[in-house]
Every structure is written in structure tokens, then in C-alpha cells.
Amino acid sequence: MTALGLLITPQGHVSITADDADASVSLAETTAARITRAFGAGAGAGLLHLATSELQTPLPPSLAYGRELARRYLTALCHAGEPAEVGAVPTLDEPGNDELDALVLSAPPLRGLEYLDTAVLREAWRQIDARVRAEVARHTGSLGDYLHGLNPLWRVVGRVTLHLAENKHDETHPFAFLATYASNVSAHGRVQHLPLARALREFAGAANRLRLLALLVPIQQASGRLPWIAALLERGDLYQALAWTPAEAHRLLSDVPVLEDCGLIVRVPDWWNAARPPRPQVSVRIGEHARVTLDADAILDFSVGLTFEGEPLTEGEREQLLAAGTGLVRLRGRWVEVDRARLDQALAHWQGVERAARSGGISFFEGMRLLAGVSDEPRVAVGEDQQAQSWSGLAAGAALQELLDRLRNPGADGSAAPPALRATLRPYQQAGFHWLRLLTGLRLGACLADDMGLGKTVQVIALLLDARAARPSLVVVPASLLANWKSELERFAPTLRFVIAHPSESDLEFDDAAHLERALAGVHVAITTYGMITRNEALRQFEWNFV
């Protein structure tokens, strides 16, 4: 812990000191280091740091006194409103002599207190202002964004906040609405909200006209875009607490993006997420059951139902939701958003897909493309209305999910490499071998993308040993690697019989199907080059086990 305090020099400069500092509140070394670095950039930077990064940090009285001056500056800046030009800072009136005199008299014991007067405080205010203007000029966003970056609490001050809360004591009007404005941040670092009607009284004089205008401009913008805000403003209801029905509450929740775009702060219950509202969904599951085996040739089952948070709805709940129309509905003790038209549209779409699946089935590839969101099949393509998509959820069923989990973790079965492999695979090579074996077992292609020199060849040789079949496999390589593959096979898999289908390495005939069949008799692996495979029709037409 470190003692640190505010210092006023004989020249009237504001700084900090650790000598004879006020030790009534000690600071953590990391906090003291932050403050010291900030004041190293000047009094304006240091005082601004105290009112932003250390806004809620318990400080010694002398540092809290310095923070109070910067807090008053930021409060005035917030009430001045957002300037039209990015990078601009409103011109602020400096505190009057009466205010500064009172601030001088309220100073706690600090080193250099005898040098503190209104001129020192006025100069400190100007240094804070200069620091803010320099930082805003370098900032790429708005003044509000800059303030939010300093401390999110300052983004709220001087702005109107619309509050929506639950009122559980009124069944017909279970929500409460109130508009407030944030007057300041208290010395304890808490935003102080007051009813919006209070602002009209506080800023009634001509001297406060600009502050009132800055406060009400966002409301005027919102009233021009949202008729219900205009109606509240016209009736004067915006300036009092209101009891709201679920329909009225849903109206606000639906318009949160517009309200925020107009510059209003919106506070809603924590169960509401504008990006993902709580909603029942048309839940679609693909591949719930493995009919015989699950591979590239499989036909996947397809089911459609209504769910909430992954749990199927009862028949009574379904009827309740579908009879609700649009808005907020109580479901299982929670408020959920319902849009009958969207639900009907999503339900009709996926039930049509389900009927098609029952008649012809969903192929493995079709199911995988659906899950990936890239299906272009006309009968399973998602509807044109993008909003309707948010009312449905697509998921892999139990059998398909088990397969996907295996694909993500191919080495989980722990099986060893083939005993005939005369090599010890490293852990990542073991995982690569399992990956190849799993995908080829599903009749899917695989891409092994290890960097050069990490042993892709030995992993493929392990696969060839594991999958020896009546039909040989084909390895296609650059001509420069023929000798390497020959030596690697002889070294790591001497039990694999192979031929090199290239004139430079073999006298065998590969020019037609009959010659190729004879050359491959009893062979497990054929190795050829890219040039040969493009020129030789027999190699291209042969039915290989793997390529």
C-alpha cells in the first residue's frame, strides 16, 4: 500500500506527492502507479484520470478533492450535449468566483494548502479542458463515445433515460414506465437520476436554455420517428410515471434500437435481450436417430416442433401462444415475445420440409448444408423473410450430434495406430490418423493440412495399412516425390505391396484397363504422378479404394 496526496506548489501548480502525504486512505501500489503516470502527463491529465478511471476508487481526501473539480467539469461537459461535428468539444462556461471560493473553503488538509486559491482552481479547470479537447481531437468517434471510453457512467450523464420495469402487483398493467435524466455522478461514483419533469423546472431560466435544448433534442428526434413517443410528449405523459400493459411494454422493447439511435438511454428488465429476445421457436432437428449407419449415404430423419429454451411446449402452451397474437405473453412464469404471423410462417415452412423429408428423406449432405446455413435446395431453402428465420432453430439430433462430436474430437476413441506400422506416431500425428480414418469411414473426403515436414506421409501410410481392402488405393504425388514415397513405404509399411505407375520406375503396362488390372493384381497401393493421371484414361477410370 502507498500513501499519495495532492500537492499545490508555490507557483500554483497542481501535482501529487508521496512526501508527507495524507495516509488516512492508502492506495494499492498498482493504483498509485496509475495515478502517478497520469499526473506525469500534466495536471489536466491527472485530474481527469481521477474522475474517470478512479471514479469509484476510495481515495485520500486530498485526491478526492482534486477528483471533485474534474467531476464538475465532466458534468458540465455532459450537460452541454453532443456537438454536431465529430472531434468537437462544446465551449463551457468556467465556474464563477462564488463557486470557486466555496470550493477553496472546502479543501481538506493538503500539502501547499496555503497556495490554493480561485486562480489555481480556474487554471486546473482550463488544463482539464485542454486535455479533453486534445484527446477528443484524436478520437475517431463522437464525444459520447469518448466519454464512454473514459468511464461508461459519464456517457449517461446529461441524457434522458427511459426506464421499463415489471410491476408484479398489477395483473392488467404489469409494467411501469418512467423517463428520467441523469443530473450527475455523485462523489461516490453513482449516477443520480431525477424525474424528467424536474429538468423542466431546473432549466427553466434563459441561462439554462442550451442545457434544456441538449436534453430534449433526442426526445424530439424520437417523436419524429415513433408516433407513440410523439403521443406521450403531446399528452405530457412523458413527464410522469405510467402503468403499462404488456402491449405497451412490447412496443418500447421493439423500438429500443430506434430510441438508442436517437440518443436516448433505455433501461429494460434483464430478461430482455434485444439481439436475442426470449421467444418460443419452431425447433427443427435433423438426424435424431441412426437408422442403420450414419455416413455420406445415410438418409436423415427430420422433425419439427414448438419449443421454449429447448424444451417442447405442451399442447395447452401451444394453444395459448398461438391464440396470443403479437406481443408479450406469460409462459412458464416468464415474459416471452410472441409474433403469431412469424411463428405461423416458420411453422408452415418447416412442416413443408418435414413432409418432403418423410416422402423422400433428407440426405446426409443436405442435412449438413442445412445445419451450416448454406442449403440451396429449393425444397429446403430458408424463406425469403429474414425475420422469420429468427423464430426457428435448427439443430442436430442425438445421432448426428454424436457424429459431429466425434468429428470435432477424432482421437477421443483412444485406439492405436495399426500394429503393422513400423513407426511411433506423435500425438498430433495420431490425431491426424484418427481424423482420416473417421472421415473415410463415413465415405467423406478429408484434408490433412499439417505444415511441411510434420509427417503427413506417415499418417497417410497408417491409414492405408488400416484400410487394406480388395481394391487398391491410389497415391498421386509430384514426380519429385516418387522416390520418397517408395522409401517411406518400405521403411514404415513393409507389408503393404505397392507399384509405381510411372514409366521411370516400372516396366509394367498401365495404358488400358486390362493391363492396369494385371499390374495391380495383389497390390495394396499404386503411386503415380499428376502428369500421368491427366494423360492416362485407365488410371482415371479405375475404381480405387482411396485416392
Side-chain angles (χ1 to χ4, degrees):
M1 305 299 289
T2 302
L4 209 61
L6 202 66
L7 165 70
I8 309 297
T9 70
Q11 295 77 27
H13 299 149
V14 177
S15 185
I16 55 170
T17 179
D19 300 329
D20 300 325
D22 181 0
S24 60
V25 177
S26 295
L27 301 170
E29 288 186 8
T30 54
T31 304
R34 288 197 307 267
I35 295 172
T36 302
R37 281 196 303 271
F39 273 91
L47 294 171
L48 184 64
H49 174 85
L50 294 179
T52 55
S53 299
E54 313 299 340
L55 183 60
Q56 295 173 310
T57 303
L59 295 177
S62 63
L63 288 181
Y65 178 74
R67 178 171 62 188
E68 173 62 18
L69 180 65
R71 189 180 68 84
R72 294 189 184 197
Y73 171 86
L74 290 172
T75 300
L77 180 62
C78 292
H79 280 285
E82 185 76 51
E85 183 181 350
V86 174
V89 177
T91 300
L92 303 181
D93 292 331
E94 293 180 356
N97 288 332
D98 290 346
E99 181 181 351
L100 293 179
D101 284 339
L103 199 55
V104 168
L105 293 175
S106 68
L110 56 86
R111 190 174 180 188
L113 179 60
E114 64 272 24
Y115 306 117
L116 179 65
D117 56 21
T118 58
V120 169
L121 293 181
R122 192 179 304 280
E123 177 59 26
W125 176 283
R126 291 170 179 172
Q127 290 187 44
I128 297 169
D129 184 67
R131 180 72 181 188
V132 167
R133 291 180 185 279
E135 291 185 354
V136 171
R138 294 193 300 268
H139 189 69
T140 57
S142 65
L143 176 62
D145 294 333
Y146 164 75
L147 291 170
H148 187 275
L150 293 179
N151 190 307
L153 294 181
W154 287 116
R155 184 74 169 94
V156 179
V157 174
R159 299 175 65 186
V160 174
T161 300
L162 305 183
H163 303 262
L164 180 70
E166 285 191 71
N167 176 20
K168 298 181 180 180
H169 303 294
D170 189 334
E171 292 186 3
T172 58
H173 293 78
F175 291 93
F177 169 82
L178 179 66
T180 67
Y181 83 101
S183 59
N184 58 54
V185 176
S186 72
H188 301 290
R190 297 186 180 90
V191 177
Q192 295 182 321
H193 286 274
L194 297 173
L196 188 55
R198 175 88 169 265
L200 299 183
R201 295 193 297 270
E202 284 190 2
F203 303 153
N208 290 315
R209 181 178 176 277
L210 292 179
R211 293 180 66 184
L212 182 61
L213 185 63
L215 191 69
L216 297 182
V217 161
I219 296 176
Q220 293 292 344
Q221 291 179 352
S223 68
R225 298 173 62 177
L226 299 172
W228 64 271
I229 289 285
L232 289 178
L233 195 58
E234 184 179 348
R235 295 194 302 266
D237 289 346
L238 195 65
Y239 304 106
Q240 56 186 313
L242 301 173
W244 271 6
T245 64
E248 290 170 317
H250 182 252
R251 182 180 58 189
L252 180 143
L253 293 172
S254 301
D255 287 332
V256 165
V258 177
L259 294 167
E260 291 180 336
D261 187 56
C262 292
L264 297 167
I265 306 291
V266 185
R267 294 286 181 261
V268 298
D270 57 10
W271 47 259
W272 179 263
N273 180 338
R276 296 182 61 85
R279 292 172 174 172
Q281 281 196 321
V282 177
S283 181
V284 182
R285 294 179 71 81
I286 301 173
E288 186 69 34
H289 309 286
R291 296 177 179 178
V292 179
T293 183
L294 205 54
D295 59 21
D297 296 329
I299 299 299
L300 303 178
D301 59 289
F302 190 94
S303 62
V304 179
L306 272 178
T307 65
F308 178 62
E309 294 184 332
E311 295 295 323
L313 299 182
T314 66
E315 190 60 34
E317 290 170 336
R318 285 172 57 104
E319 292 176 359
Q320 174 193 356
L321 289 178
L322 295 178
T326 299
L328 294 176
V329 178
R330 273 281 185 186
L331 179 66
R332 298 175 181 174
R334 292 184 53 191
W335 289 103
V336 300
E337 183 181 37
V338 176
D339 187 322
R340 173 66 184 273
R342 303 289 189 196
L343 274 178
D344 284 348
Q345 183 179 354
L347 198 57
H349 170 73
W350 289 113
Q351 284 176 339
V353 178
E354 183 180 30
R355 286 191 295 272
R358 285 175 179 168
S359 60
I362 294 290
S363 73
F364 180 86
F365 290 111
E366 207 171 339
M368 296 292 280
R369 288 175 64 79
L370 271 172
L371 289 173
V374 294
S375 177
D376 54 8
E377 294 290 333
R379 67 191 180 102
V380 296
V382 178
E384 293 181 3
D385 190 338
Q386 296 296 313
Q387 284 291 331
Q389 297 181 37
S390 63
W391 291 90
S392 60
L394 198 62
L400 185 55
Q401 186 60 53
E402 181 183 358
L403 172 60
L404 295 176
D405 291 341
R406 289 171 60 203
L407 289 173
R408 294 187 181 100
N409 190 14
D413 60 6
S415 58
L421 181 69
R422 293 190 178 180
T424 301
L425 297 180
R426 296 184 178 92
Y428 71 87
Q429 293 172 332
Q430 187 80 16
F433 161 65
H434 285 301
W435 167 251
L436 294 173
R437 185 172 65 172
L438 175 59
L439 286 176
T440 53
L442 295 170
R443 299 175 56 80
L444 296 171
C447 177
L448 185 61
D450 288 342
D451 285 341
M452 182 179 291
L454 293 185
K456 294 184 293 295
T457 302
V458 72
Q459 294 175 63
V460 175
I461 290 174
L463 175 70
L464 295 171
L465 276 170
D466 183 75
R468 278 186 287 192
R471 307 297 296 176
S473 295
L474 178 67
V475 175
V476 186
V477 299
S480 60
L481 291 184
L482 288 175
N484 179 71
W485 265 85
K486 179 180 178 181
S487 64
E488 298 270 289
L489 283 170
E490 290 171 344
R491 176 185 176 188
F492 296 126
T495 60
L496 276 181
R497 294 186 297 277
F498 68 91
V499 297
I500 297 181
H502 194 274
S504 66
E505 295 284 342
S506 176
D507 296 330
L508 297 173
E509 297 287 342
F510 304 101
D511 54 348
D512 59 39
H515 285 145
L516 186 60
E517 284 282 0
R518 287 195 294 271
L520 295 177
V523 169
H524 299 117
V525 181
I527 308 171
T528 193
T529 65
Y530 294 112
M532 281 291 292
I533 204 72
T534 57
R535 295 192 303 269
N536 191 304
E537 181 72 17
L539 287 173
R540 294 201 303 275
Q541 296 300 325
F542 190 83
E543 186 179 340
W544 304 98
N545 182 29
F546 293 154
V547 177

